[in-house]
């Protein structure tokens, strides 16, 4: 089975490398030639366009910044649907608006292409380790067809419901992550102002109820003010904007999400958008 992979950014490159480590045959495309060269060095085959990837692939994985990028790669003039064979499976692992995933799914169906939305959580470290959490929407039978492929990139792949359900689950995930980072940043601001070593605070509380994967991953970065991006603030803002739109569509009340979104957008204005989302903590010190 030939796997196509489109999108070789912070997440995409290590995901391709893990597919190759598992013995998969991968053809890859990205607009940035250096990123393609990086995975070709590990054994991937290169392609010049998304259409070329689709023509050569049975399963196509996309990992792109946002919905418009996915729509262009799938439905554009030299996109996936211009050459994909009937029965091809498209697994979009980008984090996009659920409504956009549904629109792309409809376009795929007219061409005989089966689509899943399968965004991930875990950031660059878990993409490198191959331990991402993958949340999937679409036809459950199609999910079962690609389940083993997904487990080459993730520690878990969970079926969440119809198309779009994967991205609803990812939005829920990113609401929790953003608010958790904000809580960690606020707690450390208090510790610093009170003269208590934040490293000792971390050691004392991480095994208790306040402990979390977010705290373990982000609190050391906050203490060191190391905001090298594993997941950029700009991308998290994009996800929360999608969450706000999705909430409006179903009349869900998400007031804390709206508040942290305002904080994150203010940090974007200050020039922190390309930093890791743990930079939310800067809100308490600026």
């Amino acid at each position: 089975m030939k796997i196509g992979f489109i999108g070789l950014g912070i997440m995409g490159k290590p995901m391709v490398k893990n597919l190759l480590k598992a013995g998969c045959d991968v053809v890859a495309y990205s607009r940035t030639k250096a990123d393609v060269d990086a995975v070709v060095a590990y054994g991937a085959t290169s392609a010049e366009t998304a259409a070329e990837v689709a023509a050569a692939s049975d399963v196509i994985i996309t990992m792109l910044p946002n919905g418009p990028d996915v729509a262009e790669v799938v439905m554009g003039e030299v996109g996936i649907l211009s050459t994909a064979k009937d029965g091809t499976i498209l697994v979009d692992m980008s984090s996009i608006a659920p409504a956009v995933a549904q629109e792309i799914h409809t376009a795929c169906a007219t061409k005989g292409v089966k689509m899943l939305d399968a965004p991930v959580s875990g950031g660059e470290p878990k993409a490198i380790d191959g331990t991402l959490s993958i949340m999937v929407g679409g036809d459950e039978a199609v999910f079962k067809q690609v389940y083993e492929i997904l487990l080459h990139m993730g520690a878990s792949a969970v079926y969440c419901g119809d198309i779009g359900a994967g991205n609803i689950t990812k939005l829920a995930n990113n609401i929790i992550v953003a608010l958790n980072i904000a809580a960690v940043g606020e707690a450390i601001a208090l510790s610093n102002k009170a003269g208590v070593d934040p490293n000792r605070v971390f050691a004392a509380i991480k095994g208790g109820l306040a402990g979390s994967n977010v705290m373990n991953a982000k609190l050391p970065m906050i203490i060191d003010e190391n905001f090298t991006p594993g997941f950029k603030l700009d991308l998290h803002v994009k996800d929360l904007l999608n969450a706000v739109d999705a909430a409006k569509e179903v009349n869900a009340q998400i007031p804390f999400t709206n508040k942290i979104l305002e904080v994150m957008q203010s940090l974007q204005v200050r020039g922190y958008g390309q930093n890791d989302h743990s930079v939310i903590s800067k809100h308490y010190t600026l």
Side-chain angles (χ1 to χ4, degrees), residues 219-238:
L219 195 148
M221 297 177 72
I222 291 169
I223 292 172
D224 294 340
E225 294 201 350
N226 170 23
F227 303 121
T228 303
F231 184 63
K232 294 177 182 178
L233 183 76
D234 282 341
L235 293 176
H236 207 149
V237 168
K238 175 263 297 183

Side-chain angles (χ1 to χ4, degrees), residues 34-48:
D35 291 336
V36 177
D37 291 343
V39 297
V40 167
Y42 273 80
T45 304
S46 67
E48 296 297 323

Side-chain angles (χ1 to χ4, degrees), residues 31 49 114-115 157 184 202 229 237 244:
R31 288 176 294 185
T49 63
K114 305 168 185 178
M115 178 187 168
V184 170
F202 181 33
V237 168
V244 169

Side-chain angles (χ1 to χ4, degrees), residues 9 12 17 19 25 30 92 99-100 169 186-187 234 249 262-263:
K17 289 176 183 178
L19 289 170
D25 188 3
S30 175
D92 179 39
V100 175
T169 305
E186 198 162 301
D234 282 341
E249 289 176 12
E262 290 176 7
V263 168

Side-chain angles (χ1 to χ4, degrees), residues 58 63 84 111 214:
D58 304 299
M63 190 62 173
K111 297 286 189 175
V214 171

